[in-house]
């Protein structure tokens, strides 16, 4: 058989040809491309930690996606750079009616969507109604609407949103069903950005369908039409890059750098190496242990103000000993949080005295964290008759959160502290997505656990309400405590107060009671996450909400 | 021959079916899952219930499997939840698999091109310093873990000295995609700079991945040439007065290469497995990388497609190797 005999020779020939092609490519290696005249690059490349979801922000759910949608969309309200506070964006001002149930937004004039459609009162109402009228799978996919606005038009009973009117081109009136500190602040969230009604209609944007164990989204969601300094140029799924280009019809200033590229590099050390090699200009979430090395190498580590909380949760339903305040206080006195924060969290991290950071209105400055006092812990345990109690204490693996860079180490330090005061610790761990979250929330399977929260916007309700408002379903099982119902009701009442000063005082009071009388869990720390850029990058403002805008950024050659 | 192939193909269908069953139940018996992976800290009892229902995960597992099978036979494997949300899971396979194949192909190419001539040379100069040196190199090639070598290469040649790119598959942003084999696509669309960039990105990962097949092929070639050199027909050829060139080419190399070709086939399956680790180090957008992502986020649709497809491909490669045996050795067919 001649084929059989000649095969190796053919293979060798092919190999030889290909090798010469390789050699060719080596000789050609050199310029990086994407640069032009001037001393700044016309492309800024950022190393993202994960692949984005859909670019229609209504259906988006994670930070990697919002990082991109934020560049191509605007909301009625925006975020003041470097803070968690709201500022005018597409709406220039907003005023509530006397009862706080009807909000009038004065809109910026002469604004156009990137497809040329005019932005006016009708467009605002079209968007609000479009979100409210989601059907079927679209309702489940619109996770942020469910979370912040409640139900949809087919079940108005649980909805915060009521209706929208556009008396003229520059006015939109949004009616809500109850007063809450969250409205209109939540309109600054990326999910509720304004999109072109023409394009939404044409692209059949609401056509979300169930498909097997997932959803399919309409083609529109890959290239939505909004108002932002950039627009999507290309999402190259095979090469894991998202390219944005300046939106020439943007009403504001044109971006300083014309092209913005996000390279998806899940591995943190690879992101660091790409920055070292100069092939990216910055990346998110550098490991705190690398901060110093990165700075020494001439890079800039931009530390975001901490807008998060790490806590040690307690479940009195599973372990009745925890129903005794003395036992919970003993745990608080037993933990050496100062030491943990100093040795394990990045610089700028602080021990927490309450379940929210100090930038949030309602923070009680008079509260001090429980001091580290093992002797006091022991005597409290003795008084409670809980000496030698066992605590099933869990931490998640396969995860690093902004408020908790290395859960295992934090858990180990706390375990030592607890054992030092005579508490027997049953250590448990599970992968973050492999049962940990289910065990904490749905199953209530642990006595104590590590978890935290990063705020969405500047409101006490976004922290305290998240943890304790929902009496039946909250992770802390406050329903078995005599004060659980009071706390839940007081939080709801405080949230509904229209007057800001009054509301702040109400939250300060609640914070005090949580710390001194209830102590449903131990607030541990606030930890600032960072992002890093090369030394040649200018104009990036780190945001506590991780809501950085890239239109002001330049990278020197 | 046809009966042999048909029988093996039927066996393959059975293998994939049983695997799909095991896989489906195994995935769902793991703690956690898609719902908590999607909702994270934001999960409330209501949103969790709504999402579980919308994804059909509240139904009895047999019903879920039945639906999965019903869709799968029509080529519908469902949509991704997290790896590339909304994308058809099979499309993800089609985008990512070429990356793995491309990497494996170039690794094999490097291995073959270096190993066969060097193996031949070693055998011709058996026990010389050159031979001993090459044997040692090949031992090191087998012994050093691929990902470790990959990391060393990356650090030295990409991070410290910038000779090659650190990670990824291509720098150019405007390349047209046809087959998702980036080098080939550049040639097909005449975007040669795209091919060049893709080749630059291929060098380090494929060199790292090539070490093990290089070592194996080198040693087989060396042993096989040594054996053939001692055969009677070589001596006969020499005594006939044939030129050295004819003897080496026609009598030695051709005969010695038969076992080598089989070895190359067998190494291909192993390459795909090794590629998974190399992909991780070089952030290579291949199937291994997608598999890791899918597992981390419990993306059931994608996991099911990728694992079943990988199994199918492995079975096919084995079938091809068996067929090549059957072609070479007729006794296999009758068994």
């Amino acid at each position: 058989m001649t084929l059989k005999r000649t095969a190796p020779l053919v293979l060798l020939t092919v190999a030889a040809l290909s090798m010469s092609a390789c050699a060719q490519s080596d000789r050609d290696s050199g310029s990086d491309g994407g640069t032009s005249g001037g001393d700044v690059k016309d492309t800024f490349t950022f190393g993202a930690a994960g692949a984005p979801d859909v670019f229609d922000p209504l259906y988006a759910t994670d930070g990697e996606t919002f990082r991109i949608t934020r560049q191509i969309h605007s909301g009625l309200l925006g975020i003041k750079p470097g803070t968690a506070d709201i500022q005018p964006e597409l709406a220039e001002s907003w005023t509530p009616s006397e009862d706080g149930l009807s909000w009038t937004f004065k809109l910026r004039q002469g604004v156009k969507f990137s497809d040329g459609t005019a932005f006016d009162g009708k467009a605002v109402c079209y968007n609000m109604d479009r979100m409210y009228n989601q059907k079927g799978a679209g309702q489940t996919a619109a996770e942020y609407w469910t979370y912040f606005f409640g139900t949809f038009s087919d079940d108005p009973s649980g909805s915060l949103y009521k209706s929208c009117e556009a008396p003229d081109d520059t006015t939109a009136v949004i009616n809500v069903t109850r007063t809450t500190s969250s409205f209109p602040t939540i309109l600054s969230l990326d999910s509720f950005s304004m999109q072109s009604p023409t394009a939404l209609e044409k692209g059949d944007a609401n056509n979300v369908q169930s498909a097997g164990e997932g959803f399919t989204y309409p083609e529109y969601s890959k290239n939505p039409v909004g108002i932002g300094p950039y627009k999507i140029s290309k999402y190259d799924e095979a090469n894991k890059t998202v390219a944005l280009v300046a939106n020439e019809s943007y009403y504001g200033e044109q971006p300083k750098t014309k092209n913005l590229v996000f390279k998806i590099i899940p591995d943190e050390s690879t992101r660091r190496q790409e920055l070292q090699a100069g092939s990216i200009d910055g990346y998110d979430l550098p490991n705190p242990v690398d901060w110093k090395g990165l700075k020494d190498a001439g890079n800039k580590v931009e530390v975001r103000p901490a807008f998060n909380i790490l806590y040690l949760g307690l479940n009195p339903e599973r372990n009745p000993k925890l129903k005794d305040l003395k036992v919970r206080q003993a745990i608080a006195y037993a933990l050496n949080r100062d030491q943990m924060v100093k040795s394990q969290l990045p610089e700028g991290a602080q021990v927490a005295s309450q379940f929210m950071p100090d930038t949030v209105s309602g923070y009680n400055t008079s509260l001090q964290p429980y001091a580290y006092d093992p002797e006091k812990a022991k005597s409290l345990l003795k008084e409670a008759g809980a000496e030698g109690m066992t605590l099933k204490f869990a931490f998640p693996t396969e995860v690093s959160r902004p408020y908790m860079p290395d859960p295992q180490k934090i858990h180990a330090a706390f375990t030592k502290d607890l054992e030092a005061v005579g508490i027997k610790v049953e250590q448990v761990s599970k992968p973050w997505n492999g049962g940990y979250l289910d065990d904490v929330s749905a199953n209530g399977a642990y006595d104590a656990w590590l978890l935290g929260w990063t705020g969405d916007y500047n409101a006490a309700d976004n922290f305290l309400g998240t943890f304790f408002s929902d009496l039946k379903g909250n992770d802390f099982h406050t329903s078995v405590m005599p004060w659980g119902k009071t706390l839940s009701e007081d939080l709801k009442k405080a949230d509904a107060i229209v007057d800001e000063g009054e509301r702040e005082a109400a939250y300060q009071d609640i914070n005090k009671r949580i710390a001194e009388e209830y102590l449903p869990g131990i607030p541990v720390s606030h930890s600032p996450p960072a992002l890093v850029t090369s030394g040649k990058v200018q104009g990036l403002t780190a945001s506590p909400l991780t809501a950085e805008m890239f239109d002001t950024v330049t990278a020197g050659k | 021959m046809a009966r042999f192939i048909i029988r093996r193909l039927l066996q393959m269908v059975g293998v994939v079916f049983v695997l799909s069953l095991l896989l489906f139940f195994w995935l769902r018996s793991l703690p956690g899952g898609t719902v908590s992976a999607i909702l994270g800290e934001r999960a409330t009892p209501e949103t969790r219930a709504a999402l579980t229902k919308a994804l059909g995960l509240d139904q009895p597992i047999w019903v879920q499997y039945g639906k999965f099978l019903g869709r799968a036979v029509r080529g519908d494997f469902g949509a991704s939840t997290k790896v590339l949300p909304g994308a058809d899971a099979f499309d993800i396979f089609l985008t990512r698999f070429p990356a793995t194949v491309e990497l494996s192909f170039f690794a094999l190419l490097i291995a073959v091109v270096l190993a066969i001539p060097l193996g031949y040379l070693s055998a011709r100069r058996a026990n010389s310093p050159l031979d001993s040196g090459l044997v040692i190199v090949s031992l090191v090639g087998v012994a050093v873990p691929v990902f470790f070598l990959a990391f060393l290469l990356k650090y030295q040649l990409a991070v410290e000295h910038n000779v090659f790119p650190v990670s990824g598959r291509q720098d150019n942003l405007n390349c047209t995609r046809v087959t998702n084999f980036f080098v080939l696509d550049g040639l097909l669309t005449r975007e040669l700079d795209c091919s060049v960039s893709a080749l630059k990105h291929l060098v380090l990962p494929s060199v790292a991945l090539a070490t093990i097949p290089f070592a194996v092929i080198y040693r087989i070639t060396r042993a096989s040439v040594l054996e053939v050199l001692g055969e009677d027909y070589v001596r006969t050829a020499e005594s006939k007065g044939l030129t050295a060139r004819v003897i080496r080419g026609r009598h030695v190399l051709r005969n010695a290469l038969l076992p080598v070709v089989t070895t190359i086939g067998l190494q291909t399956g192993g390459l795909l497995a090794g590629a998974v680790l190399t992909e991780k180090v070089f952030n290579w957008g291949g199937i291994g990388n997608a598999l890791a992502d899918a597992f981390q986020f419990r993306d059931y649709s994608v996991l099911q497609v990728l694992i079943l497809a990988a199994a199918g491909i492995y079975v096919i490669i084995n079938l091809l190797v068996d067929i090549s045996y059957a072609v070479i050795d007729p006794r296999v067919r009758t068994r």
Side-chain angles (χ1 to χ4, degrees):
Chain A
M1 202 189 248
T2 49
L3 184 68
K4 190 168 70 187
R5 292 197 165 184
T6 49
L9 297 177
V10 171
L11 209 61
L12 278 175
T13 317
V14 172
L17 283 173
S18 313
M19 274 307 269
S20 65
C22 286
Q24 179 76 36
S25 77
D26 293 350
R27 280 198 300 276
D28 289 350
S29 65
S31 73
D32 200 14
T35 52
S36 69
D39 50 4
V40 293
K41 296 201 251 183
D42 68 358
T43 302
F44 180 83
T45 311
F46 192 80
D53 295 0
V54 284
F55 298 129
D56 178 345
L58 177 61
Y59 303 128
T61 56
D62 80 320
E64 294 300 340
T65 309
F66 290 134
R67 194 204 307 286
I68 294 168
T69 59
R70 186 171 299 124
Q71 318 300 327
I72 59 175
H73 293 289
S74 302
L76 287 177
L77 276 56
I79 306 285
K80 206 165 157 191
T83 74
D85 303 329
I86 50 171
Q87 69 170 14
E89 199 158 272
L90 293 176
E92 289 178 324
S93 66
W94 47 93
T95 39
S97 64
E98 213 145 280
D99 59 2
L101 294 177
S102 180
W103 289 77
T104 305
F105 295 84
K106 279 285 164 204
L107 308 177
R108 195 182 276 274
Q109 292 186 39
V111 175
K112 281 187 166 32
F113 291 98
S114 61
D115 66 347
T117 308
F119 170 73
D120 53 19
K122 281 196 202 81
V124 173
C125 289
Y126 185 94
N127 271 280
M128 295 308 295
D129 287 334
R130 175 241 171 178
M131 298 190 266
Y132 185 48
N133 289 326
Q134 290 295 309
K135 299 268 181 300
Q139 294 189 350
T140 319
E143 204 189 285
Y144 269 59
W145 179 277
T146 312
Y147 197 82
F148 293 103
F149 281 95
T151 52
F152 296 85
S153 57
D154 54 6
D155 174 22
S157 64
S159 175
L160 170 62
Y161 176 78
K162 191 174 176 198
S163 60
C164 178
E165 296 141 33
D168 58 62
D169 279 357
T170 59
T171 313
V173 180
I174 297 178
N175 302 307
V176 290
T177 56
R178 59 187 154 86
T179 52
T180 163
S181 61
S182 303
F183 195 86
T185 313
I186 43 175
L187 292 177
S188 66
L189 292 172
D190 302 292
S191 281
F192 312 129
S193 299
M194 294 292 124
Q195 303 182 52
S196 160
T198 325
L200 286 169
E201 197 72 43
K202 215 168 85 189
D204 195 12
N206 302 322
N207 186 16
V208 179
Q209 301 290 337
S210 287
E213 288 86 12
F215 299 118
T216 57
Y217 302 91
E219 203 60 24
Y220 171 83
S221 67
K222 286 187 185 163
N223 202 351
V225 179
I227 303 166
Y230 289 97
K231 55 186 182 183
I232 300 273
S233 159
K234 188 179 180 185
Y235 181 9
D236 189 343
E237 289 157 6
N239 199 28
K240 305 212 289 181
T241 50
V242 185
L244 308 187
V245 64
N247 168 17
E248 278 160 10
S249 67
Y250 183 54
Y251 66 87
E253 241 179 82
Q254 279 293 300
K256 293 218 163 72
T257 303
K258 189 170 175 238
N259 302 295
L260 185 56
V261 174
F262 295 95
K263 270 195 195 177
I264 299 152
I265 311 170
D267 180 45
E268 194 266 337
S269 67
T270 304
R271 292 202 292 279
R272 191 178 69 236
Q273 290 167 337
E274 288 273 16
L275 182 72
Q276 263 174 285
S279 37
I280 60 175
D281 300 305
Y283 68 87
D284 203 356
L285 296 180
N287 190 333
V289 300
D290 293 330
W291 288 14
K292 192 173 176 304
L294 284 163
K295 276 191 236 169
D296 291 347
N299 302 298
K300 295 182 184 169
V301 174
E302 308 274 1
V303 181
R304 297 165 169 138
F307 200 65
N308 56 33
I309 172 83
L310 164 68
Y311 57 79
L312 183 143
L314 296 171
N315 180 353
E317 191 168 7
R318 189 176 187 286
N319 188 337
K321 286 216 162 62
L322 293 171
K323 282 185 181 167
D324 191 333
L325 176 66
K326 284 181 183 144
V327 173
R328 301 198 298 277
Q329 282 176 332
I331 292 174
Y333 282 118
L335 301 178
N336 193 345
R337 289 175 288 170
D338 269 314
Q339 175 68 32
M340 191 284 289
V341 165
K342 267 186 212 129
S343 64
Q344 299 195 29
L345 298 183
E347 58 187 86
Q350 286 175 337
V351 174
S353 61
Q354 45 210 299
F355 279 86
M356 58 194 227
D358 59 5
T359 37
V360 178
S361 161
Y363 183 87
N364 191 329
T365 46
S366 69
L367 292 175
Q368 290 300 319
Y370 283 80
Y372 171 56
D373 189 345
E375 289 315 312
K376 189 150 188 188
K378 279 185 207 163
S379 67
L380 281 168
L381 284 173
K382 198 170 172 188
E383 279 174 45
E387 294 156 294
M389 69 177 283
T390 307
L391 200 65
K392 190 177 179 188
F393 178 29
F395 69 96
T397 59
E398 296 173 27
V399 74
S400 161
R401 306 300 286 176
Y403 50 80
M404 176 168 64
D406 190 340
Q408 183 173 8
K409 279 197 186 152
I410 299 174
H411 183 268
F414 284 173
T415 299
K416 227 176 97 207
D417 290 343
L418 292 169
E419 283 172 344
V421 300
I423 294 174
K424 291 198 188 80
V425 176
E426 187 190 330
Q427 303 191 40
V428 211
S429 70
K430 264 195 186 173
W432 181 256
N433 290 330
Y436 184 78
L437 290 170
D438 287 353
D439 275 358
V440 166
S441 300
N443 307 335
Y446 312 129
D447 298 340
W449 66 93
L450 293 173
L451 201 63
W453 178 260
T454 300
D456 298 298
Y457 53 89
N458 196 344
D461 184 59
N462 187 237
F463 285 87
L464 302 182
T466 303
F467 304 140
F468 312 116
S469 256
D470 179 13
L471 184 62
K472 284 280 163 263
N474 78 54
D475 295 353
F476 298 85
H477 296 254
T478 53
S479 59
V480 303
M481 302 306 290
W483 42 261
K485 196 161 173 238
T486 321
L487 176 59
S488 159
E489 281 168 0
D490 286 355
L491 282 168
K492 283 177 189 151
K493 269 187 227 153
D495 181 46
I497 298 173
V498 180
D499 181 79
E500 278 184 35
E502 227 177 284
R503 189 166 67 220
E504 185 175 2
Y507 277 118
Q508 281 170 345
D509 175 54
I510 294 176
N511 269 324
K512 188 172 158 67
R513 277 185 283 145
I514 290 177
E516 292 171 359
E517 296 168 35
Y518 306 155
L519 206 66
I522 321 295
V524 174
S525 54
H526 310 289
S527 176
L531 68 173
V532 58
T533 65
S534 91
K536 295 173 189 158
V537 172
Q538 302 284 342
L540 184 66
T541 310
S543 154
L545 301 173
T546 68
E548 288 84 18
M549 290 301 296
F550 289 92
D551 56 336
T552 52
V553 173
T554 55
K557 279 182 185 168
Chain B
M1 191 67 188
R3 274 186 59 188
F4 167 78
I5 295 175
I6 289 169
R7 203 173 67 219
R8 291 297 305 268
L9 280 174
L10 286 177
Q11 281 173 0
M12 183 178 117
V13 172
V15 166
V16 173
F17 174 75
V18 171
L19 184 71
S20 78
L21 197 70
L22 290 175
L23 181 65
F24 197 88
F25 284 83
W26 173 69
L27 280 179
R28 278 155 190 76
S29 69
L30 288 174
T34 312
V35 172
S36 64
I38 294 177
L39 296 175
E41 289 114 329
R42 201 171 292 283
T44 64
E46 295 81 36
T47 53
R48 199 182 292 115
L51 189 58
T52 308
K53 186 156 180 278
L55 297 178
L57 298 170
D58 57 333
Q59 289 164 350
I61 195 156
W62 283 106
V63 177
Q64 289 184 43
Y65 183 71
K67 284 187 175 169
F68 164 76
L69 213 58
R71 285 183 285 110
V73 294
R74 295 195 308 267
D76 172 9
F77 290 91
S80 162
T81 52
K82 204 72 193 179
V83 173
L84 198 61
D88 183 84
F90 194 69
D91 282 349
I92 292 182
F93 172 74
L94 292 182
T95 344
R96 298 299 195 90
F97 188 60
T100 304
V101 173
E102 194 173 52
L103 176 59
S104 306
F105 173 78
F106 277 90
L108 198 60
L109 203 62
I110 291 171
V112 167
V113 165
L114 292 177
I116 293 179
L118 290 176
Y120 178 75
L121 209 64
S122 261
R124 293 274 303 158
R125 309 209 178 136
N127 299 322
S128 70
L130 174 82
D131 178 37
S132 313
L134 282 170
V135 169
I136 290 171
V137 168
S138 77
L139 277 174
V140 171
V142 179
V144 175
V146 171
F147 71 90
F148 178 66
L149 182 71
F151 193 81
L152 274 187
L153 283 173
K154 178 167 87 160
Y155 195 75
Q156 281 302 322
L157 295 175
V159 180
E160 290 282 293
H161 293 104
N162 254 316
V163 184
F164 295 107
V166 177
S167 74
R169 291 182 68 193
Q170 202 167 49
D171 288 327
N172 308 42
L173 296 168
N174 294 313
C175 300
T176 317
R177 303 273 175 251
V178 186
T179 60
N180 286 318
F181 293 95
F182 286 7
V183 178
L184 183 64
D185 284 357
L187 296 175
L188 290 176
T189 57
R190 305 274 168 99
E191 294 164 335
L192 290 182
D193 52 329
C194 290
S195 291
V196 170
S197 174
L199 279 169
K200 276 197 285 184
H201 280 265
L202 268 163
V203 175
L204 295 184
S206 47
V207 166
L209 189 56
T211 47
I212 289 179
F214 162 79
V216 174
I217 296 167
Y218 160 82
R219 292 172 71 84
I220 294 281
T221 310
R222 180 177 175 278
S224 168
V225 170
L226 271 179
E227 194 183 315
V228 172
L229 282 174
E231 290 285 350
D232 290 343
Y233 56 80
V234 174
R235 207 173 315 134
T236 311
E238 275 166 359
S239 62
K240 271 203 306 192
L242 292 179
T243 62
R245 196 185 151 138
V246 171
I247 296 171
R248 282 175 204 167
R250 189 172 296 167
H251 297 273
V252 178
L253 202 54
R254 270 197 197 173
N255 284 304
L257 279 182
L258 283 177
V260 176
V261 172
T262 312
T263 308
I264 293 173
L266 287 169
Q267 283 295 311
T268 315
L271 265 180
L272 293 177
V276 170
L277 287 173
T278 316
E279 281 176 14
K280 171 98 180 119
V281 177
F282 290 99
N283 191 29
W284 194 262
I287 200 170
N289 218 318
L291 204 55
D293 287 352
F295 192 76
Q296 190 190 346
F297 297 115
R298 302 293 192 263
D299 193 333
Y300 291 150
S301 303
V302 175
L303 277 172
Q304 280 153 197
V305 163
L306 292 185
I307 294 178
L308 287 180
I313 287 159
Y314 207 83
V315 174
I316 288 173
I317 289 175
N318 271 316
L319 175 64
L320 290 177
V321 170
D322 285 355
I323 290 174
S324 79
Y325 274 145
V327 169
I328 293 164
D329 184 352
R331 283 171 300 180
V332 174
R333 271 173 266 167
T334 56
R335 252 184 247 147

